[in-house]
Amino acid sequence: MSDGQVKAALRDATDTEQVVIGPGALDSVEEVFGRSFGERPAVVVADATTWRVAGQRVQQALEAAGRATQAPYRFEPDGFVLAEYGNVERLERALSGHDAVPVAVGSGSLNDIVKRAAHEAGRPYLAVATAASMDGYTAFGAAITRAGYKQTMTCPAPRALVADLEVLAGAPADMTASGYGDLLGKVTAGADWLVADALGIEPVDPKVWDLVQGPLREAIGRPEDLAAGDRGALERLVEGLVMSGLAMQAHASSRPASGAEHQFSHLWEMEGLGHDRRPPLSHGFKVGVGSVAVAALYQRLLERDLGALDTEALGRAWPAREEVQETVRAAHTTPGLDQAAVTETMAKHVDADALGRRLGLLAERWPALRDRLGGQLIPPQRLRELLAAAGCPTRPSELGLTASAFRATYVRARMIRRRYTVLDLATEAGVLGELVDELFAPGGFWADEP
Ligand SMILES: [Zn+2]
């Protein structure tokens, strides 16, 4: 991983022009702003904490260079700014009173609020990272809760990102650990893309694949050092997260960085898991446990011979559209999510004939696919060790999930996104229920969950 790789990735990114990562990067914020926005005025957006750790310095640097600035927009009072649509509306109203370019000083939620509000105001923005907590800095789209329902709202990624490693090193340890969990999820996300590729559903783009998977093993390889505050390990993490965001831009899809582990996480997020905690349960912590869950499923799946399925029997047992809709409705009752889940599931539902053709293809390609997956995946026990070393939760109970709620996620998660993953493969191969039974049976990977 090097600066050159980020520069190469920027050439294919559609929104982001500049990324500056390094100790003291904050000193370059005026220069970066000027390169992307010329003489335009700036408005710093921060919360009480991010104002203290970086916002104030950004404001001073812009002023000292003689740049016109609006009074900073600060989310008050001190506490956790939630990515709720009301905050987007408030900021958008403030932005509509001037023409300054927002400078978002913050991490996940604050960045998402500014990303969407800037888009609604018809403006680009600059992001200043304050924690290596997720891969969203350089990704398009914002996760915003509206009318109680968490959704991904469209909006471009920032025009530029400044990530000062000295600032990031000072962030709470849980935030860095969360970024690690989000990055670790690229292991199973990659496996899911290989599955979709083998079945002719979504071909792998080798160039985009390399952006995420190239630096990944090195970036996740030193969780102990990361937890101990090692700068090199932090830099690898930040670069890995930034590259994932840029890959999503280049691919115009989150496919390169998000698979079934994110479906687990998104379902829990949409159902409000851990939202009452302070700070709220982080995205990366949920993705981390989701990654272990999905890796455990893969481990069982790879023991099967999916080249020897009784495809005719599977075709006869395959549910009709109405039946599938009923099942999805029964599984999802959260307002907003109920209808969305039906829409998403039906978008990837195939009829019995198409299923037969797909299973035929699977039979043909299974030996090669199984080998490729074996090379991509990391065993769930190892993922758990890595997460623990980084300071992440590794068990559903630590997220506040009962074993039965967690177990149900294996069946429910695939319904909320149209993306094809191992959960769909296992469903279509007729083995999902058996595999999950094995995971929770005595001796199974999740046998000891309370
Ligand atoms: Zn993520």
Side-chain angles (χ1 to χ4, degrees), residues 134-135 182 186 257 262 283 287:
M134 42 86 226
D135 65 9
D182 199 18
K186 313 316 175 203
H262 271 78
H283 170 72
V287 171

Side-chain angles (χ1 to χ4, degrees), residues 63-75:
E63 284 175 4
R67 179 168 301 281
T69 59
Q70 288 288 328
Y73 186 95
R74 289 168 62 180
F75 285 99

Side-chain angles (χ1 to χ4, degrees), residues 26 45-47 49-56 58 104-111 127-134 137 161-172 175-176 234 238:
L26 218 50
V45 183
D47 64 28
T49 304
T50 64
W51 174 256
R52 190 165 41 74
V53 301
Q56 201 164 11
V58 170
V105 181
S107 59
S109 297
L110 192 122
N111 188 56
V128 175
T130 54
S133 52
M134 42 86 226
Y137 288 116
L161 169 70
V162 173
D164 188 329
L165 293 173
E166 284 164 11
V167 173
L168 303 184
M175 296 187 83
T176 309
L234 178 64
V238 176

